[in-house]
Amino acid sequence: MPELETTEEITQDKNPSTEKTLVNLVGKLSKDEQKKLAAKLISDYDVDVQSRQSWMDKRNRWYKLWLCHRETKVDPWPGASNICIPMLSTACNQFHGRAYSSVFAPPGMVKAMPVEGNDVTRAKNVENYMNWQVLYEMEEYEDEFDRLLINLPINGTAFKKVYYDKNLDRNVSEYASAVDVVLPYRTKKLESARRIAHQIWLHYDELSERNDQGMYANFEKVSETAGKKDDSELSETRDKATGEEDISQENGLKLILEIHKKYKLFNDKTPQPYIFTVDYDSSTILRITSRTIKTGGKEHVLSYFIDYHFIPNPEGFYSFGFGHFLEVLNEMANTAFN
């Protein structure tokens, strides 16, 4: 069974000084500065999306094979046989079942290693606490990891997003599809990525609720109707598979970009890590927060994303999944059977 790889810690320690990172800094910029910055952030995002279009097309084909989703054939005649043999889906589902039982096997997921002789008891206490944290306090952790394990072998790369939620007063660990996490072309490692853009699709009422909690600025520029739609071929495949369809833009989902990037703002001498929340339709920056925290007199960059890899790609960031190796064989078997 391929080994799961991560580049970050799965959880983060809760610390009251995290409150510092929740302060919205957008008001410190002039309107012109905000406008120029928003245009730059969206332009970079559009370039990154375009650069991975070939990968997205492949991802859609693999997703169809995993679902055994077939379009109606008109060649050599209308209604010709178009059966899909579940070769890719069987491989991915078997990996999922074995990986899930291995990851969540008792007595727990976390193992703490003592460094010195008197650390044995302390390490055991840390181990017990973190196992309780990820399995009981973080209610979504197991379900979100389950979704990651079924998606990972399809295309080879997946993400978890870990952050502190002020309302819940605890850490949150969410699955983030590689489709929704956009990275620049030629990224080698997640830690050294020039920027990370997380596509978040929300209804206007959800955004309004967050604004009422004081999270956003410039919210009056956000329109209730959705401009840019998730009209990718992959989204269409997903909707057909689940029997759902977005028939109205009026109540549709709006694209909000959460961009993690180093930037020189507020007279910074060197680029500092910030999180920019941008409404794509109106090109409006709703929120700017620091991505750093001071603990023990030192400043640390908070780790929000964890990348998981199925079969590592020695020449690039996006790793290989069963889709890379079984697509041709699966389609060959489908053709021969039909």
Side-chain angles (χ1 to χ4, degrees):
M1 184 172 64
E3 181 181 358
L4 296 178
E5 296 185 351
T6 78
T7 60
E8 305 275 357
E9 292 287 339
I10 291 180
T11 59
Q12 300 172 5
D13 291 333
K14 206 167 10 177
N15 193 307
S17 57
T18 305
E19 295 284 337
K20 174 178 175 290
T21 67
L22 302 177
V23 177
N24 192 352
L25 306 173
V26 69
K28 294 185 177 182
L29 297 177
S30 68
K31 296 299 181 182
D32 287 341
E33 289 174 327
Q34 292 180 33
K35 187 176 180 179
K36 291 179 182 179
L37 179 57
K40 174 62 175 174
L41 293 171
I42 291 178
S43 175
D44 289 342
Y45 161 77
D46 288 336
V47 170
D48 295 340
V49 168
Q50 186 62 37
S51 70
R52 68 168 193 169
Q53 187 57 50
S54 178
W55 180 86
M56 286 288 290
D57 294 339
K58 293 179 181 179
R59 175 66 171 77
N60 182 55
R61 297 200 303 268
W62 302 331
Y63 187 59
K64 284 183 176 180
L65 278 177
W66 177 70
L67 289 171
C68 292
H69 173 76
R70 311 302 283 175
E71 304 290 347
T72 301
K73 289 187 69 174
V74 295
D75 183 56
W77 56 79
S81 176
N82 196 19
I83 294 173
C84 180
I85 297 175
M87 183 183 296
L88 176 63
S89 59
T90 298
C92 293
N93 294 345
Q94 285 189 357
F95 167 82
H96 166 257
R98 296 178 182 181
Y100 181 87
S101 60
S102 176
V103 170
F104 291 97
M109 298 179 59
V110 181
K111 299 293 182 183
M113 183 180 68
V115 179
E116 299 178 1
N118 59 352
D119 285 343
V120 175
T121 301
R122 183 184 178 189
K124 190 64 178 177
N125 291 337
V126 170
E127 182 178 308
N128 291 336
Y129 170 73
M130 293 189 69
N131 277 314
W132 169 83
Q133 188 180 37
V134 299
L135 294 176
Y136 298 100
E137 184 187 37
M138 301 166 70
E139 299 174 355
E140 74 289 337
Y141 189 89
E142 187 170 350
D143 290 340
E144 295 293 294
F145 211 106
D146 188 24
R147 294 173 60 198
L148 182 146
L149 290 176
I150 194 61
N151 217 320
L152 179 63
I154 298 176
N155 58 270
T157 305
F159 297 87
K160 289 291 287 293
K161 185 180 181 182
V162 183
Y163 59 94
Y164 175 75
D165 189 297
K166 182 180 179 181
N167 294 327
L168 296 176
D169 191 27
R170 64 172 175 84
N171 290 327
V172 173
S173 178
E174 298 176 343
Y175 162 69
S177 171
V179 173
D180 291 324
V181 178
V182 183
L183 301 171
Y185 183 62
R186 295 295 186 187
T187 293
K188 293 296 183 182
K189 294 179 63 179
L190 188 65
E191 299 93 328
S192 60
R194 294 167 58 203
R195 52 187 172 269
I196 304 171
H198 186 197
Q199 301 176 151
I200 304 174
W201 297 89
L202 295 171
H203 287 284
Y204 180 81
D205 58 344
E206 295 176 291
L207 293 171
S208 181
E209 182 179 349
R210 296 186 179 193
N211 180 61
D212 292 340
Q213 296 173 358
M215 291 183 61
Y216 298 147
N218 304 319
F219 191 73
E220 68 280 357
K221 297 181 181 180
V222 179
S223 63
E224 296 189 32
T225 57
K228 181 179 176 60
K229 294 189 65 177
D230 186 8
D231 54 1
S232 63
E233 191 176 355
L234 179 61
S235 177
E236 182 180 346
T237 300
R238 180 193 61 216
D239 292 344
K240 288 181 179 179
T242 57
E244 298 178 329
E245 186 177 0
D246 183 11
I247 61 175
S248 172
Q249 274 191 292
E250 184 176 354
N251 297 316
L253 295 169
K254 295 179 63 64
L255 175 59
I256 302 298
L257 300 178
E258 184 181 287
I259 301 174
H260 298 241
K261 177 182 173 62
K262 284 188 176 182
Y263 219 95
K264 291 180 69 174
L265 295 176
F266 318 121
N267 298 319
D268 293 331
K269 295 182 180 179
T270 58
Q272 298 298 315
Y274 292 100
I275 304 173
F276 304 91
T277 304
V278 183
D279 174 45
Y280 186 91
D281 294 335
S282 63
S283 299
T284 300
I285 298 181
L286 303 176
R287 185 174 176 84
I288 302 175
T289 56
S290 173
R291 203 182 175 208
T292 60
I293 185 174
K294 286 187 177 180
T295 55
K298 296 183 179 180
E299 195 169 71
H300 305 275
V301 178
L302 291 175
S303 301
Y304 282 83
F305 293 95
I306 310 163
D307 55 328
Y308 292 80
H309 300 270
F310 192 68
I311 300 176
N313 178 5
E315 300 298 334
F317 177 80
Y318 287 99
S319 296
F320 300 126
F322 281 136
H324 291 82
F325 305 110
L326 295 182
E327 179 186 10
V328 175
L329 290 174
N330 206 153
E331 291 292 5
M332 184 176 66
N334 292 343
T335 300
F337 188 88
N338 287 309

